[in-house]
Amino acid sequence: MNKTRVTLEREVSNFISYYIKETLGRGPRDTEIKITDNVLIFFIKGILTQMEKNILKTPEGKNIVLKGRQLFVESTNDEYIKTFEKIVESKVIQNYEAWDLENDSAVGVLVFEKKIC
């Protein structure tokens, strides 16, 4: 692999910001990437759209926003994962994502087939 850790982290951060902006209409406020061996972890702050913030004010809001995000991930996951694999030059073998709606943040963990950098 010719890419340095810093280069990969920057490419992944740029991709995540671009992807969220293109698919949800606005990008995150902050994205932090950590790479260790064959694991990539990303932390995203400022993930909620204005519509989601308004929905969260309703009694069923949290469940609705979570379900909407789960459906979104399921429908776009193949494209999303393929781009990560292209950037990192390794196959994703496990993918986990979680949202903390109260703190307007998310975390993702991608485990790759081989060491990333």
Side-chain angles (χ1 to χ4, degrees):
M1 165 135 340
N2 296 331
K3 297 179 184 179
T4 66
R5 180 181 316 281
V6 171
T7 300
L8 280 174
E9 289 172 350
R10 186 176 52 247
E11 284 184 37
V12 169
S13 179
N14 289 341
F15 164 65
I16 290 171
S17 295
Y18 170 81
Y19 185 79
I20 292 172
K21 184 175 183 178
E22 287 298 306
T23 56
L24 296 176
R26 64 177 287 286
R29 183 177 64 249
D30 186 42
T31 304
E32 184 179 345
I33 311 299
K34 298 290 182 192
I35 297 173
T36 304
D37 195 37
N38 68 327
V39 178
L40 184 148
I41 303 168
F42 58 86
F43 304 93
I44 308 170
K45 295 179 183 169
I47 62 166
L48 297 171
T49 65
Q50 189 58 49
M51 182 177 71
E52 289 172 323
K53 290 177 185 177
N54 289 330
I55 291 170
L56 285 170
K57 295 175 185 175
T58 68
E60 291 297 317
K62 184 174 181 179
N63 290 335
I64 292 169
V65 172
L66 284 173
K67 184 64 175 173
R69 284 189 167 261
Q70 288 167 344
L71 290 170
F72 173 76
V73 167
E74 289 170 12
S75 69
T76 60
N77 205 38
D78 287 344
E79 172 189 351
Y80 184 68
I81 294 299
K82 285 180 185 175
T83 303
F84 275 112
E85 290 175 341
K86 183 177 178 184
I87 292 169
V88 178
E89 299 175 5
S90 181
K91 181 173 176 44
V92 172
I93 56 175
Q94 294 176 326
N95 175 33
Y96 306 97
E97 293 188 36
W99 303 282
D100 181 348
L101 301 179
E102 289 81 14
N103 290 309
D104 195 9
S105 62
V107 63
V109 178
L110 295 157
V111 181
F112 293 88
E113 194 171 59
K114 63 182 183 180
K115 188 173 179 177
I116 301 170
C117 59

